[in-house]
Amino acid sequence: MPRTEEQLNKIRKDRKQKIKDTALEVFAAHGYESASISMIAKKAGVSKGLMYNYFESKEDLLGTIMMEGIDEMLPLIDPDNDGVLTKEEFVFLIDESFRIMKEKINYYRLYFSLMMQPSVMNLFADKLNEVAAPYIKIFVDYFEKKGSKKPMLEAIMVGALLDGIGFNYAFNPDTYPLDDVVELVKEKLV
Amino acid sequence: MPRTEEQLNKIRKDRKQKIKDTALEVFAAHGYESASISMIAKKAGVSKGLMYNYFESKEDLLGTIMMEGIDEMLPLIDPDNDGVLTKEEFVFLIDESFRIMKEKINYYRLYFSLMMQPSVMNLFADKLNEVAAPYIKIFVDYFEKKGSKKPMLEAIMVGALLDGIGFNYAFNPDTYPLDDVVELVKEKLV
Amino acid sequence: MPRTEEQLNKIRKDRKQKIKDTALEVFAAHGYESASISMIAKKAGVSKGLMYNYFESKEDLLGTIMMEGIDEMLPLIDPDNDGVLTKEEFVFLIDESFRIMKEKINYYRLYFSLMMQPSVMNLFADKLNEVAAPYIKIFVDYFEKKGSKKPMLEAIMVGALLDGIGFNYAFNPDTYPLDDVVELVKEKLV
Amino acid sequence: MPRTEEQLNKIRKDRKQKIKDTALEVFAAHGYESASISMIAKKAGVSKGLMYNYFESKEDLLGTIMMEGIDEMLPLIDPDNDGVLTKEEFVFLIDESFRIMKEKINYYRLYFSLMMQPSVMNLFADKLNEVAAPYIKIFVDYFEKKGSKKPMLEAIMVGALLDGIGFNYAFNPDTYPLDDVVELVKEKLV
DNA sequence: GATGAATGAGAATTCATTCAT
DNA sequence: CATGAATGAATTCTCATTCAT
């Protein structure tokens, strides 16, 4: 009995996901350039040729992974946020951010490893801004409410702090005292 | 008549420097893997072959650049530091760090772009630690003196903050308000 | 529809054999160092890249060819030999040796051309010894039985004689009177 | 005081000899293709450029070495030989041949390593024949005198034997029992 | 759809040779 | 004459991508 259309779709979907997951792993571990399609195909248990059935090119594979990674981070920002963040919400936002980071450490490694290459990052600039902008806005609002004189600058600084912690953690996830640092950050900021 | 030893030394020194400068630029702009020896040679105005007269391999070229970059950063740390940092010294250290960063922005781009690749970074881990360790020590001392309960954690957090600012600045040197952020950091920390 | 495992095996086997055959020819004609992968690929009618689908490196290609060549020579030695060689067996051994040499002239050319390079030959020393040792043993036994005072030395001398004939024949296969010389050798030795 | 013409000539001659000696050593040890001009220049203590002052090309250097090597072997053959070789003269010829071989082992290694490459050997074919021909003639004469039915074939066989001994010795000069083998050869032949 | 053999452009590297000094 | 910096063609090898089956 031939497979139904539905079954085929599920197979396709699962396999595509498997390829993306594997590619992310390999990209994160070796860097985008050093990772080869062969390596990914073998690790994902599919043929090289099949990769091109699902993705137009290595660059497309990278693009899809990065775009989806960004998309997954978007809902993190409170959609009901009315611009007036309470302390509790602020703390929650930070906690969530680092929870996601731990969970999606490979995404972060990939982003960090590519951010210095304008030729690559330009492709994702707009999308990344979609994630960063609301963050900045929330931080600005928060510091404004707290009566800060330079809320934008404070927001930028906090952004840098969170990036820095993420970078250090991504560089050395095994020994970095992420949770303790995050606690300290919250203490300082609220 | 052959050139004098002195002439040769000058030629060699100049050429080698020219190659290193160009390579750093290209590495920083495209990433180590994506940058090709051809690209660097062309930009430096020398033949591909000559590159190998001065450096054993692409990896050796990278290594030399990174090592020298680190060496240039070492003297930044006050060698007479007795472990008791005054506010003024602390501020000076931060100022110096960012002054160097602006001046050596390409080094930072290169470091940041390579840090997620363990296979590369392990080669420089020891040397990098030579730079980072005194920083951490100074920060710890400083926060201890200030009566902090968790001086180590605070030092780690400040390290992350500085890294984050550097990363953001390196990502977008043209529009990042580095000076203002640094001012704010100093305000907050002292 | 993908090819069956069987089809693939046949393709791989055939192609690999074609490459080995061509490479042996080219190595034997130009010498290992002077023969280029391009040259072999073109002559074999495949792309350069494909060479590396079948052999890890030029050295691996050489190694495979030499090892297989040696393996083909091993069965030549009478496996039932009980150490007591009759005249007839001795003559047969010599005949066989030169029959193989004529058939596998390119192998011999390759071996002779590489034997003066210790860096290469060391890789095959053990394997070559597997071929040479039984020969020597048989010769020693034979001369012992004949009542020779210095059977080992006679064996070494005969070995040199056979090598020399092979070398001269390989050097000039078109005009060397191999068969006549072999006849004379047999006459002298038995 | 400037050097006299004569002194200059001597310097030139000595240096040229030094280069040839070194090149022979390096060629014999690594093989012609694998030996580089740089390697030879450094080992000879001269600059790369100077090499081309004395030899037109790497091939010319090889050619000169091989030609001179052959020339040195020519006088070995008894110039007064009237075609009637006594046993004593025959034995002396063989002794001399192997004495030269021991002394000039590097020449032999070089010849043996190149003989399978027609593109190289054709350049020296005529010259080599000048050496080989009188040998063959002498051997033929000798065996004729001894009443052999096939003196030419015997001469060819003896030639092969001597070549084979040389080849084996050159392959492994440290452990090959050259002297004993030579003694045995003389015993058998006279 | 699925496979992996096959391609070819391009990368790093080597080295004989040239030439300004 | 002498030097070694400089060149460029050739070499080995890699890998994203294509395509016959």
Side-chain angles (χ1 to χ4, degrees):
Chain A
M1 190 167 44
R3 276 178 273 238
T4 65
E5 185 69 18
E6 217 173 324
Q7 282 175 315
L8 285 174
N9 276 340
K10 180 167 171 21
I11 289 175
R12 275 189 66 83
K13 196 160 155 282
D14 288 352
R15 192 146 39 186
K16 190 163 187 176
Q17 193 57 48
K18 174 76 174 168
I19 292 173
K20 284 184 291 186
D21 291 347
T22 309
L24 173 57
E25 237 178 277
V26 178
F27 286 160
H30 296 83
Y32 171 66
E33 297 287 346
S34 298
S36 78
I37 291 288
S38 292
M39 213 185 277
I40 296 165
K42 183 179 284 181
K43 207 166 185 222
V46 302
S47 71
K48 251 189 301 181
L50 195 60
M51 304 280 293
Y52 287 84
N53 212 314
Y54 291 97
F55 302 95
E56 282 182 5
S57 64
K58 192 185 177 187
E59 200 182 317
D60 177 35
L61 174 57
L62 173 68
T64 305
I65 289 171
M66 294 194 76
M67 289 300 193
E68 289 188 9
I70 297 172
D71 280 339
E72 287 181 41
M73 290 168 205
L74 275 175
L76 175 65
I77 307 291
D78 177 12
D80 303 334
N81 171 34
D82 53 2
V84 190
L85 215 59
T86 64
K87 271 183 194 178
E88 288 69 32
E89 286 169 334
F90 185 76
V91 165
F92 180 74
L93 179 62
I94 290 178
D95 274 333
E96 275 292 277
S97 300
F98 283 104
R99 190 184 57 72
I100 295 282
M101 173 174 294
K102 277 163 102 166
E103 208 181 300
K104 307 277 181 185
I105 181 67
N106 278 339
Y107 277 116
Y108 283 85
R109 291 181 62 87
L110 181 54
Y111 292 139
F112 286 137
S113 75
L114 290 174
M115 284 193 109
M116 296 297 137
Q117 285 175 249
S119 62
V120 179
M121 288 316 288
N122 284 343
L123 303 172
F124 311 105
D126 289 350
K127 194 100 185 180
L128 269 180
N129 204 43
E130 273 180 50
V131 176
Y135 258 89
I136 295 288
K137 183 176 182 326
I138 288 172
F139 289 161
V140 171
D141 288 352
Y142 179 73
F143 287 112
E144 231 161 24
K145 208 181 82 184
K146 274 186 73 177
S148 162
K149 294 269 173 58
K150 307 172 198 158
M152 179 49 123
L153 218 51
E154 291 217 43
I156 289 174
M157 193 186 76
V158 170
L161 176 59
L162 299 188
D163 277 355
I165 294 170
F167 192 81
N168 285 341
Y169 171 62
F171 178 59
N172 199 350
D174 294 332
T175 62
Y176 197 78
L178 182 61
D179 295 332
D180 294 340
V181 174
V182 171
E183 283 312 305
L184 184 60
V185 166
K186 289 186 296 189
E187 224 172 81
K188 295 277 174 186
L189 286 182
V190 295
Chain B
M1 197 168 18
R3 295 179 183 87
T4 65
E5 190 66 21
E6 215 174 327
Q7 283 173 311
L8 285 175
N9 279 339
K10 183 169 168 25
I11 288 175
R12 278 196 287 253
K13 196 161 155 283
D14 290 353
R15 268 283 196 277
K16 194 160 186 176
Q17 194 57 50
K18 173 73 175 168
I19 292 174
K20 281 186 292 187
D21 291 346
T22 310
L24 174 56
E25 236 177 278
V26 178
F27 285 160
H30 296 82
Y32 172 66
E33 297 287 348
S34 298
S36 78
I37 292 287
S38 291
M39 217 184 271
I40 298 166
K42 183 176 286 180
K43 203 163 189 224
V46 303
S47 69
K48 254 186 305 176
L50 193 62
M51 304 284 294
Y52 291 86
N53 210 317
Y54 291 100
F55 300 93
E56 284 184 2
S57 63
K58 190 185 175 186
E59 199 181 319
D60 177 37
L61 175 55
L62 173 69
T64 304
I65 289 171
M66 294 194 77
M67 289 300 192
E68 289 188 10
I70 297 172
D71 280 338
E72 287 180 43
M73 290 170 205
L74 276 175
L76 176 65
I77 307 289
D78 175 13
D80 302 334
N81 172 34
D82 52 3
V84 189
L85 214 61
T86 63
K87 272 182 194 177
E88 288 70 32
E89 288 170 332
F90 185 76
V91 164
F92 179 75
L93 179 63
I94 289 179
D95 274 334
E96 276 292 276
S97 300
F98 283 104
R99 190 183 57 71
I100 295 281
M101 174 175 294
K102 276 162 104 168
E103 208 182 298
K104 308 275 181 187
I105 181 65
N106 278 338
Y107 278 114
Y108 283 84
R109 291 180 61 86
L110 181 54
Y111 292 138
F112 286 136
S113 76
L114 289 173
M115 285 192 107
M116 294 299 138
Q117 279 174 256
S119 62
V120 179
M121 287 316 289
N122 285 343
L123 304 172
F124 310 105
D126 288 351
K127 195 102 186 179
L128 269 180
N129 204 43
E130 273 182 50
V131 175
Y135 260 89
I136 295 287
K137 185 181 179 322
I138 287 172
F139 289 161
V140 171
D141 289 351
Y142 179 73
F143 287 111
E144 233 162 24
K145 207 182 84 184
K146 274 188 71 176
S148 164
K149 295 267 174 58
K150 308 171 195 158
M152 181 46 124
L153 216 52
E154 292 217 41
I156 288 174
M157 194 187 73
V158 170
L161 176 59
L162 300 187
D163 277 355
I165 295 170
F167 192 81
N168 285 341
Y169 170 61
F171 179 59
N172 198 352
D174 294 331
T175 62
Y176 197 77
L178 182 60
D179 295 332
D180 295 340
V181 174
V182 171
E183 282 313 305
L184 184 61
V185 166
K186 289 188 292 191
E187 223 172 80
K188 296 276 174 188
L189 286 181
V190 296
Chain C
M1 198 165 21
R3 294 179 185 86
T4 64
E5 190 65 20
E6 216 173 327
Q7 283 174 313
L8 285 175
N9 279 340
K10 182 167 169 25
I11 288 175
R12 279 196 287 254
K13 195 160 157 284
D14 290 353
R15 269 284 197 275
K16 195 162 186 175
Q17 195 56 50
K18 174 74 176 167
I19 291 173
K20 282 185 293 188
D21 291 347
T22 309
L24 174 56
E25 239 178 275
V26 178
F27 286 159
H30 296 82
Y32 172 66
E33 298 286 348
S34 297
S36 78
I37 291 288
S38 291
M39 216 184 271
I40 298 166
K42 185 178 284 181
K43 201 161 190 226
V46 302
S47 68
K48 255 186 303 180
L50 194 62
M51 305 284 293
Y52 291 86
N53 209 319
Y54 291 101
F55 300 94
E56 284 184 2
S57 63
K58 191 184 173 186
E59 198 182 320
D60 177 37
L61 175 56
L62 173 69
T64 304
I65 289 171
M66 295 195 75
M67 288 301 191
E68 288 188 11
I70 298 172
D71 280 338
E72 287 180 42
M73 290 170 205
L74 276 175
L76 175 65
I77 308 291
D78 176 13
D80 303 335
N81 172 36
D82 53 1
V84 189
L85 216 59
T86 64
K87 272 183 195 177
E88 288 71 31
E89 286 169 334
F90 185 75
V91 164
F92 179 76
L93 178 63
I94 290 179
D95 274 334
E96 276 292 275
S97 299
F98 283 104
R99 191 183 56 71
I100 295 281
M101 174 174 296
K102 278 164 100 166
E103 207 182 299
K104 308 273 181 189
I105 182 64
N106 278 338
Y107 277 114
Y108 283 84
R109 292 181 60 86
L110 180 54
Y111 292 138
F112 286 136
S113 75
L114 288 174
M115 284 192 110
M116 293 300 138
Q117 282 174 254
S119 61
V120 179
M121 288 316 288
N122 285 343
L123 303 172
F124 311 105
D126 289 351
K127 194 101 189 180
L128 270 179
N129 202 45
E130 274 181 50
V131 176
Y135 259 89
I136 295 289
K137 185 180 181 320
I138 287 172
F139 289 161
V140 171
D141 288 352
Y142 180 73
F143 287 111
E144 230 161 27
K145 209 182 82 186
K146 274 187 73 176
S148 163
K149 293 271 172 58
K150 309 170 197 160
M152 180 48 121
L153 218 49
E154 294 218 40
I156 288 174
M157 195 187 73
V158 171
L161 176 58
L162 300 187
D163 276 354
I165 295 170
F167 192 80
N168 285 342
Y169 170 62
F171 179 58
N172 198 351
D174 294 333
T175 63
Y176 197 77
L178 181 60
D179 295 333
D180 295 341
V181 174
V182 171
E183 282 312 305
L184 184 60
V185 167
K186 290 188 292 191
E187 223 172 81
K188 295 276 175 186
L189 287 182
V190 294
Chain D
M1 191 167 44
R3 276 178 272 238
T4 66
E5 185 71 17
E6 216 173 326
Q7 283 175 311
L8 283 174
N9 276 340
K10 181 168 168 22
I11 288 175
R12 275 190 66 82
K13 197 160 155 282
D14 289 352
R15 192 145 41 186
K16 190 162 187 176
Q17 194 57 47
K18 173 74 175 169
I19 291 173
K20 283 184 292 187
D21 291 347
T22 309
L24 174 56
E25 233 177 280
V26 178
F27 286 160
H30 296 83
Y32 172 66
E33 297 287 346
S34 298
S36 79
I37 292 287
S38 292
M39 215 184 277
I40 298 165
K42 182 178 285 180
K43 205 164 187 223
V46 303
S47 72
K48 251 186 303 178
L50 195 61
M51 304 280 295
Y52 288 84
N53 212 313
Y54 290 97
F55 301 94
E56 282 183 5
S57 64
K58 190 184 176 187
E59 200 182 319
D60 177 35
L61 174 57
L62 173 69
T64 304
I65 289 170
M66 293 194 77
M67 289 301 192
E68 289 189 10
I70 298 172
D71 280 338
E72 286 182 43
M73 290 171 205
L74 276 176
L76 175 65
I77 307 293
D78 175 13
D80 302 334
N81 173 35
D82 53 3
V84 190
L85 214 61
T86 64
K87 271 184 194 178
E88 288 69 30
E89 287 169 331
F90 185 76
V91 164
F92 179 75
L93 179 62
I94 290 178
D95 274 333
E96 275 293 275
S97 299
F98 284 104
R99 192 184 55 72
I100 295 281
M101 174 174 294
K102 275 164 105 167
E103 208 182 301
K104 308 275 182 188
I105 181 67
N106 278 339
Y107 276 115
Y108 284 84
R109 292 180 61 85
L110 181 54
Y111 292 138
F112 287 136
S113 76
L114 289 174
M115 285 192 107
M116 295 299 137
Q117 285 174 249
S119 61
V120 179
M121 289 315 289
N122 286 343
L123 303 171
F124 311 105
D126 289 350
K127 194 102 187 178
L128 268 179
N129 203 44
E130 274 181 49
V131 176
Y135 258 89
I136 295 290
K137 185 180 180 321
I138 288 173
F139 288 161
V140 172
D141 288 353
Y142 178 74
F143 287 112
E144 234 162 22
K145 207 181 82 184
K146 274 187 72 177
S148 164
K149 295 267 174 58
K150 308 171 198 157
M152 181 44 127
L153 219 47
E154 292 218 41
I156 289 174
M157 194 187 73
V158 171
L161 177 58
L162 300 188
D163 276 355
I165 295 170
F167 192 80
N168 286 342
Y169 170 61
F171 177 60
N172 198 352
D174 294 331
T175 62
Y176 197 77
L178 182 61
D179 295 331
D180 295 340
V181 174
V182 171
E183 282 313 306
L184 184 60
V185 166
K186 289 188 294 192
E187 223 171 81
K188 297 276 174 186
L189 286 182
V190 296

